[in-house]
Amino acid sequence: LYNLVDALLGVFKYQEALAYADKGLAWQSNHANLLFKKGLILCCLEAFDEAHACLAKAQVLDPKVLANCLPVAAQLGPFVEANLSPEALYLDAMYQAQIKCFWRDRASYTQAIEQFSQTGLSENMNFNHEFGFSILSLAINAEARLRITQSISELTNDMAWLYGAPPFSYKRQNREHLRIGYVSSDFRRHPTGLLSRQIYAMHNKQSMEVYIYSLHNDTIKENVRLSVERDCKVFHDVATMTDVQIATLIHQDEIDILVDLNGYTAKARTMLFSLRPAPIQVSYLAYLQSMGADFIDYAMLDELVCPKGYDKDWQEKIVRLPDSLYVYDTETPNSAVEKTRSDFGLPEKAFVFCCLSACYKIEPEIFTVWMSILNKVPNSVLWLLSMDELTRDNLQAQASLNGVDKTRLIFAQSLPHKEHLLRYQLADLFIDTYWCGAHTTALDALWQGLPILCCIGKVSSSRVAASFLTVLEMPELITQNFDEYEQKAVEYATNPLLIEALKQKLKEKKVATPLFNTALTVKYIESAYQAMWQRYICGLPPENIDVANLSVE
């Protein structure tokens, strides 16, 4: 019965799971693991008082029940474990449903997050900083997002100082070389590592020294990691060190500007930034949302991701880079693909819409629009990234509910990175998600010559593809609402001359515009660092900075 309850909980059949849990507990009322699972089910049903009673009793019966039933939470340490709340468990469980594209309770879930953000996040917030990443793909406005991340940063601060680390002091003086420290868990074959790999080699060695602090220790060092090690001045593998030890090392290295390339993402070590090991601390690239933290001074963005007037959505001061904030590894292969559509299970004659973004970014509103597009373009398919069976079944069921044959959803199987990128060339049009659009994936598609259609939103995570297209001077692919988005998708799919013209224009603009001019973007980043440092040397507090444009070289 316990295993059956666990399985039903895993496929979001909460009422059925509750019935079997009650049946088991009627036979054995002190079964701690089953009682804990009943508590989780009640969390999912928003019966928080009952859930709290079950969870508390289970932990009294067996202090190891948390490690047995929820090992991820048990690994988070005693401070967090003690504050584990039914509301926090509810938020996490509902997000697990969303990433499986199980959307039945999505509206009440997002409403609950908004409510919690207004009424005591410190008690109701998820037990994990990664919740700050979870909210990016949900229909949550910028004001609520900021409240949520502020709560996460406050909890991070409180936890950091429980370790009793002494405050650091700095030398306010100019020197020949600025020391720039980059901190990330992703100096490897990961979107952040792949995007940023060329930055470290392209930095001006006459004025800057690059220090790397790697939070993730790969047993096999592949090309990305090796190139980062080669191109920096100092590489520290700090994966096995505590946050206090890492912060102490950064301070001993006398880092002037410390750059967080994680934000609230997996394997981040945000606590070390709250210890303030460097006088200037910056968020860049991986997390396009305010961290809500008083220990992050600047966020490096661009004019479209954060237009003037949107500064209120950020606690950090905004550094606006010209063109796009993104860099790209221009050594990424994009030679003509040698395989055919049939090699990937695609019909040779159909129009292929494509969205090879992670499934957590697919939300019900945009999926309904996609299904309407497929209905209006009968000879078309939608190419999605490979997913587990449950997620695939959920999307196919939603397609059927919208009158679309589920076989028109084609799932791209996992491939080595180079082969994966080249197959973009076999699609006709990339159709972007909304609340959290394609970022690295969008650059990959554009680099392979695949146009992207997007609908620009009001939060930063929904504006990235539009930023790329603006730099590429292709505004015809940016729409303002779902009606325009659908109309343009149908228009392009039913007019072969239009889609060919878009592909030809993209081919020309990739060279003529600065989107893929990584060397130029690195110069802008260096100008930003110099401006931050000069303010600091002059005793001035952080302020918004607009980096001046240079001519494209």
Side-chain angles (χ1 to χ4, degrees):
L1 280 169
Y2 171 82
N3 290 338
L4 179 57
V5 167
D6 197 36
L8 290 168
L9 184 59
V11 294
F12 321 119
K13 295 184 177 181
Y14 305 126
Q15 291 292 354
E16 195 175 348
L18 181 61
Y20 282 110
D22 284 337
K23 185 176 181 179
L25 290 168
W27 290 339
Q28 192 173 332
S29 61
N30 287 340
H31 192 296
N33 287 1
L34 188 54
L35 197 60
F36 192 90
K37 289 293 181 181
K38 180 180 178 179
L40 292 181
I41 296 164
L42 291 168
C43 291
C44 297
L45 294 171
E46 300 181 68
F48 297 131
D49 290 340
E50 295 175 69
H52 184 273
C54 286
L55 296 168
K57 183 178 178 182
Q59 289 177 294
V60 170
L61 290 169
D62 182 1
K64 296 181 180 179
V65 70
L66 186 65
N68 294 336
C69 296
L70 207 62
V72 172
Q75 293 169 10
L76 296 175
F79 302 125
V80 177
E81 183 180 327
N83 295 317
L84 204 60
S85 72
E87 290 85 357
L89 292 169
Y90 162 76
L91 292 174
D92 185 67
M94 287 297 103
Y95 184 66
Q96 298 309 311
Q98 304 316 305
I99 63 178
K100 298 295 184 182
C101 298
F102 183 79
W103 297 321
R104 186 185 63 195
D105 302 313
R106 190 180 182 95
S108 61
Y109 173 52
T110 53
Q111 288 170 6
I113 293 173
E114 295 250 7
Q115 180 182 351
F116 289 160
S117 77
Q118 298 173 9
T119 57
L121 274 170
S122 60
E123 296 179 1
N124 296 327
M125 200 69 261
N126 190 280
F127 47 77
N128 188 326
H129 69 261
E130 288 180 50
F131 190 71
F133 183 80
S134 304
I135 61 175
L136 298 183
S137 58
L138 300 174
I140 299 171
N141 64 41
E143 183 181 356
R145 290 179 178 213
L146 180 57
R147 287 197 299 267
I148 289 167
T149 57
Q150 285 172 334
S151 179
I152 294 172
S153 73
E154 288 168 8
L155 179 62
T156 302
N157 261 333
D158 292 344
M159 292 177 62
W161 294 112
L162 285 173
Y163 290 99
F168 295 111
S169 58
Y170 325 106
K171 298 175 182 176
R172 197 186 298 267
Q173 60 184 20
N174 269 318
R175 53 173 144 202
E176 185 179 354
H177 295 89
L178 268 184
R179 292 188 179 179
I180 311 298
Y182 289 97
V183 180
S184 179
S185 60
D186 300 319
F187 298 114
R188 53 195 171 99
R189 190 164 291 284
H190 175 279
T192 298
L194 291 164
L195 286 177
S196 67
R197 185 179 69 86
Q198 290 184 326
I199 292 179
Y200 319 114
M202 290 182 175
H203 267 314
N204 184 347
K205 303 301 190 293
Q206 303 304 311
S207 59
M208 297 193 177
E209 295 176 342
V210 175
Y211 285 64
I212 297 292
Y213 302 89
S214 177
L215 304 175
H216 180 74
N217 183 16
D218 282 320
T219 54
I220 299 176
K221 295 183 181 180
E222 34 77 288
N223 290 340
V224 175
R225 166 71 175 257
L226 291 173
S227 69
V228 174
E229 288 187 15
R230 180 190 67 232
D231 294 331
C232 66
K233 177 179 175 63
V234 177
F235 188 100
H236 290 298
D237 187 333
V238 296
T240 61
M241 296 171 65
T242 67
D243 293 322
V244 174
Q245 289 171 333
I246 299 170
T248 301
L249 174 61
I250 290 168
H251 186 257
Q252 289 173 347
D253 284 341
E254 297 186 7
I255 297 301
D256 299 312
I257 299 175
L258 189 64
V259 184
D260 183 1
L261 293 175
N262 269 110
Y264 295 129
T265 63
K267 298 183 176 67
R269 303 281 287 274
T270 311
M271 196 182 300
L272 74 87
F273 285 87
S274 72
L275 297 172
R276 274 279 183 186
I280 300 172
Q281 301 191 153
V282 182
S283 174
Y284 176 57
L285 195 62
Y287 185 68
L288 293 193
Q289 162 70 37
S290 175
M291 292 184 67
D294 59 7
F295 49 82
I296 300 294
D297 303 298
Y298 295 99
M300 282 203 297
L301 304 166
D302 62 49
E303 180 66 40
L304 201 83
V305 167
C306 181
K308 298 293 175 64
Y310 281 61
D311 298 11
K312 66 183 186 306
D313 300 337
W314 297 76
Q315 180 149 331
E316 304 87 340
K317 294 303 180 182
I318 306 301
V319 177
R320 290 183 174 87
L321 303 180
D323 308 318
S324 169
L325 70 98
Y326 274 74
V327 287
Y328 192 73
D329 182 357
T330 52
E331 294 178 6
T332 303
N334 63 349
S335 56
V337 63
E338 296 178 357
K339 294 189 176 181
T340 65
R341 284 183 170 184
S342 57
D343 291 325
F344 299 103
L346 296 169
E348 292 288 350
K349 301 295 184 181
F351 190 93
V352 178
F353 292 106
C354 161
C355 184
L356 300 187
S357 293
C359 57
Y360 73 85
K361 294 187 177 185
I362 303 175
E363 69 269 359
E365 295 84 2
I366 201 70
F367 190 80
T368 299
V369 176
W370 289 350
M371 295 305 98
S372 181
I373 292 168
L374 291 184
N375 278 322
K376 291 179 179 178
V377 186
N379 187 30
S380 66
V381 296
L382 176 57
W383 199 16
L384 300 170
L385 202 60
S386 177
M387 301 170 188
D388 63 82
E389 185 177 358
L390 178 59
T391 309
R392 190 167 61 246
D393 288 347
N394 286 334
L395 287 177
Q396 289 175 334
Q398 288 294 323
S400 297
L401 288 174
N402 283 276
V404 174
D405 189 325
K406 67 179 184 180
T407 62
R408 294 176 68 188
L409 303 187
I410 299 175
F411 296 91
Q413 298 305 307
S414 180
L415 286 177
H417 190 244
K418 178 181 177 180
E419 293 179 53
H420 163 66
L421 294 181
L422 293 178
R423 65 181 167 180
Y424 274 114
Q425 299 173 33
L426 298 172
D428 293 302
L429 183 66
F430 191 113
I431 47 178
D432 200 10
T433 48
Y434 181 68
W435 283 98
C436 187
H439 299 174
T440 307
T441 305
L443 284 175
D444 286 336
L446 293 166
W447 184 246
Q448 299 299 328
L450 179 62
I452 294 178
L453 180 69
C454 71
C455 182
I456 191 170
K458 293 185 178 180
V459 294
S460 52
S461 58
S462 67
R463 304 177 65 86
V464 177
S467 172
F468 299 156
L469 293 167
T470 300
V471 179
L472 286 168
E473 300 172 2
M474 299 186 73
E476 63 270 35
L477 287 165
I478 304 171
T479 66
Q480 303 299 317
N481 54 63
F482 286 164
D483 287 341
E484 185 187 2
Y485 177 95
E486 180 178 328
Q487 177 265 319
K488 284 208 168 189
V490 173
E491 181 183 6
Y492 290 135
T494 54
N495 192 325
L497 292 179
L498 274 181
I499 203 71
E500 285 306 314
L502 278 176
K503 289 185 175 183
Q504 182 58 39
K505 182 177 179 181
L506 174 56
K507 182 179 180 180
E508 296 166 358
K509 292 296 183 180
K510 281 198 308 177
V511 178
T513 63
L515 181 62
F516 293 105
N517 189 336
T518 297
L520 180 63
T521 305
V522 171
K523 288 183 179 180
Y524 291 143
I525 292 171
E526 291 177 339
S527 295
Y529 291 159
Q530 294 289 0
M532 296 174 199
W533 185 248
Q534 286 308 308
R535 289 194 64 82
Y536 174 75
I537 287 297
C538 294
L540 298 172
E543 190 49 83
N544 292 346
I545 296 169
D546 292 332
V547 177
N549 208 334
L550 300 172
S551 59
V552 177
E553 298 179 359

